[in-house]
Amino acid sequence: MKGKILVAGGMGFIGSHTTVELQNAGFEVVIVDNLSNSNIEVLDGIERITGIRPAFVEADCTDMVAMRRLFDEHKGINGIIDFAASKAVGESMQKPIMYYRNNLNILLNLLELMPEYGVKGFVFSSSCTVYGEPDHNPITEDAPTKKATSPYGATKQVSEDIIADVIRSGSPIKAILLRYFNPIGAHPSAEIGELPNGVPANLVPYLTQTAIGVRKELSIFGNDYDTPDGTCIRDFINVVDLAKAHVVALERMLDNKSEEALEVFNIGTGDGVSVQQLLDAFERSTGVKVPHKYVARRPGDIVKIWADPKKANEVLGWKAEATLDDTMLSAWKWQQRLRERGIM
Ligand code: NAD
Ligand code: WQD
């Protein structure tokens, strides 16, 4: 056993995939989640893939009493990954107080409890949203962050600042901020994947739901941008590749490989892929045609952003490996599995 890791929000999309990779790497995992955006069957999926059922505590991470109980009952936690957050950009515009309260209180509680319980390493789920519309692509970690355009984005920026302040104050912890680009796809086994709530706002779940007939047509928001095919450009990162970045980040801190107490890494492929190219890759790899139309631009969309992942490649020794076609196939397989299970 390499160590015991608390995965906050571990029942969610990225947390469940990361739990699988942590267990595959020999870590013991304790998940804490309030199931506000996930469900209990995720544990079965993780167990079917890895043969190990992680410990699970159903609790709200904003509840300090429940969190203390968790640390008292699960002694010897060495590291924490904080995935727990509310994450819908549109909803955050309607419910800013809920977003600030949830996302920031989770973080504050975890940071306060770490020294009390001797927890050494902290990985935080940040986002490329902190960069806003980049002046240059690919974007490096030292590029300036820009004022957030949503309360959700603001919680990521403030969270990064809070972690830096806590470390600067002398807290005996190490932290790594992982700035994810656009996580997509599912585990190739289709045992776990993304479970969007209601009508998906994100491209890939909307696309796969259209392909399977839940949605009539995919709307492509804008094809008149200043890009080669007129659609926006993103860095779509396979969720299993993304999950593996957390494992190496934790190992770096727990094995004392880093000099710095706080480090930041872009987690992306380094390739800018347009919305049109992603749709083409889906149709090519699955052989399924997706009804679609081109509509007006979505207000607030970034035109183009993709990562320079060189720092993660060189310092963490991590690199995105999945091809876009494989990732699209995994997303499709997951959508089909949801249909078989009568969920979607
Ligand atoms: P998700 O909603 O699938 O997972 C988050 C999990 O946290 C859910 O299982 C939810 O039930 C849980 N949770 C929320 N509030 C909680 C609370 N108060 N107490 C306990 N559990 C709570 O989201 P995801 O896509 O897996 O994202 C994980 C993290 O990565 C989030 O912090 C998100 O902001 C960040 N992120 C996601 C993306 C993306 O596109 N998916 C991109 C960049 C960053
Ligand atoms: C991608 C592209 C859309 C849906 C969001 C958050 C960001 C980060 C990742 C967490 C855009 C286009 C989409 C559709 C479309 N999350 N699109 N039709 O906007 O890059 O980022 O998720 O930190 O903070 O803002 O992702 O998947 O919504 O959109 O044409 O039905 O697909 O216009 O160009 P985005 P997305």
Side-chain angles (χ1 to χ4, degrees), residues 87 89 126-129 152 156 180-183 200-204 206 218-222 232-234 236 275 298 301-302:
K87 65 158 183 179
V89 175
S126 192
S127 167
C128 67
T129 195
Y152 166 76
K156 292 297 172 194
Y180 314 156
F181 281 65
N182 286 59
N202 294 119
L203 177 60
V204 170
Y206 204 103
L218 170 70
S219 293
I220 296 187
F221 300 136
C232 291
I233 296 179
R234 296 287 182 275
F236 297 101
V275 173
R298 183 171 70 176
D301 259 337
I302 302 291

Side-chain angles (χ1 to χ4, degrees), residues 141-287:
E141 290 82 353
D142 52 12
T145 57
K146 296 201 177 145
K147 188 171 164 40
T149 54
S150 70
Y152 166 76
T155 68
K156 292 297 172 194
Q157 291 184 336
V158 176
S159 294
E160 289 200 355
D161 291 343
I162 290 173
I163 296 166
D165 285 343
V166 168
I167 286 182
R168 210 176 298 126
S169 75
S171 179
I173 63 168
K174 287 192 167 188
I176 290 186
L177 314 179
L178 298 182
R179 291 180 178 158
Y180 314 156
F181 281 65
N182 286 59
I184 60 164
H187 195 271
S189 65
E191 293 290 355
I192 51 173
E194 192 171 7
L195 256 190
N197 224 337
V199 181
N202 294 119
L203 177 60
V204 170
Y206 204 103
L207 188 161
T208 58
Q209 289 189 13
T210 307
I212 209 153
V214 176
R215 313 274 159 216
K216 199 166 123 253
E217 209 170 25
L218 170 70
S219 293
I220 296 187
F221 300 136
N223 61 348
D224 57 352
Y225 285 106
D226 179 22
T227 60
D229 61 27
T231 64
C232 291
I233 296 179
R234 296 287 182 275
D235 186 332
F236 297 101
I237 170 82
N238 180 287
V239 66
V240 175
D241 280 335
L242 172 60
K244 290 177 179 166
H246 296 78
V247 178
V248 289
L250 267 174
E251 285 172 346
R252 180 171 172 79
M253 290 184 287
L254 301 185
D255 297 347
N256 283 318
K257 285 188 220 148
S258 52
E259 301 276 300
E260 308 285 326
L262 177 63
E263 293 181 301
V264 188
F265 296 97
N266 282 341
I267 303 296
T269 65
D271 294 324
V273 170
S274 74
V275 173
Q276 182 68 54
Q277 285 174 318
L278 183 114
L279 171 62
D280 293 345
F282 181 87
E283 294 189 333
R284 181 177 62 234
S285 58
T286 64

Side-chain angles (χ1 to χ4, degrees), residues 24 28 56 66 69 78 90 92 94 105 129 163 170-171 200 204 257 293 295 321:
N24 284 344
E28 181 182 345
F56 173 57
R69 195 179 313 127
N78 313 98
S92 79
Q94 311 301 322
N105 282 337
T129 195
I163 296 166
S171 179
V204 170
K257 285 188 220 148
K293 62 180 176 190
V295 302
E321 281 170 355

Side-chain angles (χ1 to χ4, degrees), residues 1 3 39 48 72 81 139 153 225 229 233 251 253 267 303 317:
M1 200 62 62
N39 70 57
R48 280 195 290 270
D72 288 334
I81 309 182
I139 193 154
Y225 285 106
D229 61 27
I233 296 179
E251 285 172 346
M253 290 184 287
I267 303 296
V303 181

Side-chain angles (χ1 to χ4, degrees), residues 44-62:
D44 301 330
I46 294 170
E47 188 176 3
R48 280 195 290 270
I49 298 170
T50 61
I52 303 166
R53 195 171 185 85
F56 173 57
V57 178
E58 185 176 343
D60 195 312
C61 300
T62 63

